[in-house]
Amino acid sequence: MTPTLGPQRIVCLTEETTEWLYLLGQEHRIVGISGYTVRPRRAREEKPKVSAFLSAKIDKILALQPDCAFGFSDLQADIAALLIRAGVQVTVFNQRSVDEIFSILYQVAAMVGCADEGRAWIDATRGRLDGIRAAVRALEAAGKRRPRVFFEEWDEPHISGIRWVSELLGIAGGDDCFPELAVMPMGKDRIIADGAEIVRRNPDIVIGSWCGKHFRPEKVAARAGWQDVNAVKTGQLFEIKSADILQPGPAALTDGVAQMHRIVTDWMAQHG
């Protein structure tokens, strides 16, 4: 009998690896999850919550006797260091682009013996993204204009969208108002210090995804000097839940981009 390979007791310190392991049918390997996990919803009922994003219950994690922990980004480096010193194998991914998201999904799938299943999901999802691109090209060929879109990841201070959000927005048919900031991996480097610059770039659509709190379109519309912004004048102020777009995993590549595509194509249909 061939022994089961790969980690058997995994702690997922962020949501995207939890969602991915459930999609792969490997949820039995998960012994602990992030308290911010909402996808899939049943994970919250089935798995112990052992971490936030910047902090973790190290004693609780160690009591679960994990043989691997999955984390995301330099912001979890301190948690990773504590677990490594306690003898836990830790893999911290640092994906920022769409291609990098696909890459880490394949890596995780391979680690749990599901490389073929992972590849099939990735190929199907790439196909759906190609379908969205084709739909946008058809609208452009019919003379429809791409909207300028400001994606706001936080409101005070204003933080624009991270790279995978900007790339998915482009696939969905919108042009990021701050493409030069999207390439910056750190949130602090995507701060727009002068809010008047957003007004100057005059987005046709504003999409808010304020991580951890509800987007308030009426608050955005009431900002000083924003009364003449196209998005405010035409009521094009929308929310996409952070769990659907700010998690660099399956959600962004499916539900997140689909929501952006609906918002953008509704606008394009009205504008030649």
Side-chain angles (χ1 to χ4, degrees), residues 11 13 67-72 76-77 79-85 87-93 111:
V11 167
L13 299 170
D67 53 12
C68 184
F70 290 144
F72 165 65
Q76 293 198 317
I79 299 172
L82 290 170
L83 291 173
I84 291 167
R85 292 191 185 105
V88 178
Q89 174 186 313
V90 179
T91 300
V92 177
F93 301 103
M111 289 176 75

Side-chain angles (χ1 to χ4, degrees), residues 130-144:
D130 287 343
I132 291 173
R133 288 188 183 96
V136 170
R137 285 196 298 269
L139 284 171
E140 291 180 286
K144 300 301 183 179

Side-chain angles (χ1 to χ4, degrees), residues 6-25:
Q8 303 301 306
R9 299 184 61 80
I10 301 171
V11 167
C12 297
L13 299 170
T14 53
E15 181 180 55
E16 65 277 357
T17 46
T18 296
E19 181 179 15
W20 183 228
L21 288 170
Y22 268 83
L23 285 172
L24 292 171

Side-chain angles (χ1 to χ4, degrees), residues 2 39 172 185 192:
T2 304
R39 296 175 65 107
I192 303 164

Side-chain angles (χ1 to χ4, degrees), residues 33-243:
I33 64 172
S34 163
Y36 289 120
T37 301
V38 296
R39 296 175 65 107
R41 187 159 297 280
R42 68 185 180 97
R44 293 186 63 82
E45 302 161 4
E46 297 173 350
K47 306 296 181 180
K49 292 177 277 295
V50 297
S51 68
F53 185 55
L54 300 179
S55 63
K57 300 171 183 174
I58 301 299
D59 290 347
K60 190 171 182 180
I61 290 173
L62 296 178
L64 293 168
Q65 298 182 301
D67 53 12
C68 184
F70 290 144
F72 165 65
S73 90
D74 45 285
L75 294 174
Q76 293 198 317
D78 290 344
I79 299 172
L82 290 170
L83 291 173
I84 291 167
R85 292 191 185 105
V88 178
Q89 174 186 313
V90 179
T91 300
V92 177
F93 301 103
N94 219 2
Q95 68 272 26
R96 291 297 195 277
S97 69
V98 170
D99 282 344
E100 288 171 355
I101 293 173
F102 280 124
S103 177
I104 75 101
L105 293 178
Y106 182 74
Q107 291 174 60
V108 171
M111 289 176 75
V112 297
C114 294
D116 291 344
E117 296 90 332
R119 170 72 73 176
W121 188 94
I122 288 166
D123 289 346
T125 302
R126 285 191 186 278
R128 285 192 290 272
L129 294 180
D130 287 343
I132 291 173
R133 288 188 183 96
V136 170
R137 285 196 298 269
L139 284 171
E140 291 180 286
K144 300 301 183 179
R145 179 167 73 84
R146 295 172 67 96
R148 295 181 304 276
V149 183
F150 174 49
F151 186 97
E152 189 169 81
E153 201 172 293
W154 193 248
D155 60 332
E156 294 176 348
H158 306 294
I159 299 179
S160 64
I162 198 166
R163 183 175 170 184
W164 73 78
V165 172
S166 181
E167 290 177 351
L168 290 172
L169 176 60
I171 291 169
D175 291 333
D176 186 356
C177 278
F178 289 90
E180 75 280 10
L181 298 184
V183 298
M184 302 295 182
M186 308 292 284
K188 64 182 178 61
D189 295 323
R190 298 195 309 279
I191 291 174
I192 303 164
D194 181 8
E197 181 60 26
I198 306 169
V199 174
R200 281 192 288 274
R201 299 196 186 192
N202 194 20
D204 299 302
I205 297 170
V206 173
I207 298 175
S209 188
W210 297 345
C211 192
K213 66 178 181 180
H214 290 296
F215 177 68
R216 301 268 306 280
E218 73 282 0
K219 187 176 177 182
V220 173
R223 289 171 180 170
W226 280 56
Q227 67 275 4
D228 293 324
V229 171
N230 284 346
V232 172
K233 288 195 294 185
T234 58
Q236 295 292 298
L237 307 171
F238 302 97
E239 178 179 30
I240 297 179
K241 300 292 186 184
S242 56

